[in-house]
Amino acid sequence: SRYYREVLPGEIVKISRHDVQTLDVVRRLEGDPSAFCIFEYVYFARPDSIFEGQMVYSVRRRCGQQLAIEAPVEADLVSTVPESATPAALGYAQKCGLPYVEVLCKNRYVGRTFIQPNMRLRQLGVAKKFGVLSDNFKGKRVVIIDDSIVRGNTISPIIKLLRESGAKEVHIRVASPPIRFPCYMGINIPTKEELIANRPEFHDLANYIGADSVVYLSVEGLVSSVQESIKARQDNNPKTHKSFIGKLGHCTACLTGDYPVELEW
């Protein structure tokens, strides 16, 4: 039987027809923590991916539960923009004791919005991209869980759509902290000026995007959601994870500006 596992940080692996061999594991400098990209958990990775011995879906659900602790709201139902934030929305709903209800369905015949050449077309694209399940939320207070708000363009027309279709209130809860800084490790994050968290509108974001309220998950809440089960496993069986040399660590540079390496410019 084949056994799949992650390639460890610094590990050099040789794959041949016959077998898979570890040639070497390059040790980090003494005491340096690892710096696994935290946004893999938030957004980039498929939900069935397994990193550091845990499934991404489970981490996203924990982020939703943590968000419910940090930012509860008087509402009738919890939903999401399909479907990347679904695990977080289910976690939030479960922790709040509110029903999880679908308010939008994806129109699978429309192309991707981010490819559209300008803002107006992108926003029109959003409206065409979703069908409204208005019977599910008419006259009700809706909490929409999103996984991240980067520019703020996509969520505005969705809120407008929900209000026009009968939502009484629309509260936005974001299952990650605001992105404020560029990534120099290979992820194409928009320029500082384009990030909504750095714009003056951020000080009254709810009004800007047309929501009744907006709250993001804290950096501490995200880190604890990611690290909780890794730490529990390490405590229960220190031998299992002797591969994670040094302190447990994740890169939060795009959220905090605290880069894991010295920048050379």
Side-chain angles (χ1 to χ4, degrees), residues 6 8-9 28 32-34 41 51-54 226-250:
E6 289 174 81
L8 301 170
R28 278 190 296 281
D32 267 9
S34 57
Y41 285 111
F51 296 136
E52 302 176 301
Q54 58 185 345
V226 166
Q227 294 185 353
E228 184 185 305
S229 78
I230 306 174
K231 281 180 174 163
R233 240 188 358 269
Q234 282 180 338
D235 294 344
N236 293 340
N237 187 357
K239 285 181 190 155
T240 320
H241 279 274
K242 63 174 182 285
S243 47
F244 291 109
I245 318 292
K247 298 191 291 292
L248 182 63
H250 292 86

Side-chain angles (χ1 to χ4, degrees), residues 3-163:
Y3 170 63
Y4 295 99
R5 66 161 174 80
E6 289 174 81
V7 177
L8 301 170
E11 183 179 15
I12 301 165
V13 177
K14 179 187 172 188
I15 301 171
S16 69
R17 268 182 314 190
H18 311 294
D19 61 2
V20 177
Q21 286 179 321
T22 297
L23 300 185
D24 195 11
V25 178
V26 180
R27 304 286 179 197
R28 278 190 296 281
L29 294 171
E30 207 49 55
D32 267 9
S34 57
F36 185 88
C37 170
I38 210 155
F39 239 72
E40 288 283 359
Y41 285 111
V42 169
Y43 183 75
F44 298 127
R46 273 174 35 166
D48 60 341
S49 304
I50 293 178
F51 296 136
E52 302 176 301
Q54 58 185 345
M55 190 176 279
V56 169
Y57 186 101
S58 306
V59 173
R60 289 177 184 167
R61 190 175 58 213
R62 279 203 299 277
C63 286
Q65 291 169 336
Q66 178 62 26
L67 188 56
I69 294 167
E70 292 183 15
V73 61
E74 289 282 315
D76 302 304
L77 60 98
V78 176
S79 197
T80 183
V81 182
E83 56 247 355
S84 56
T86 301
L90 288 165
Y92 188 97
Q94 177 194 10
K95 196 77 177 169
C96 283
L98 290 170
Y100 171 80
V101 178
E102 292 180 323
V103 297
L104 299 166
C105 63
K106 230 171 185 169
N107 176 354
R108 61 184 62 141
Y109 309 107
V110 174
R112 305 298 298 267
T113 50
F114 73 88
I115 302 169
Q116 299 293 349
N118 66 40
M119 189 78 67
R120 183 78 191 109
L121 281 174
R122 276 209 293 268
Q123 290 182 331
L124 280 171
V126 165
K128 284 189 307 193
K129 198 171 171 178
F130 298 106
V132 185
L133 304 171
S134 49
D135 282 3
N136 291 356
F137 62 86
K138 216 169 251 174
K140 293 187 173 164
R141 300 166 299 174
V142 181
V143 185
I144 296 287
I145 309 295
D146 208 345
D147 48 24
S148 57
I149 297 179
V150 181
R151 289 189 184 91
N153 300 333
T154 310
I155 197 77
S156 292
I158 285 166
I159 296 167
K160 194 162 179 276
L161 205 56
L162 294 174
R163 286 199 191 282

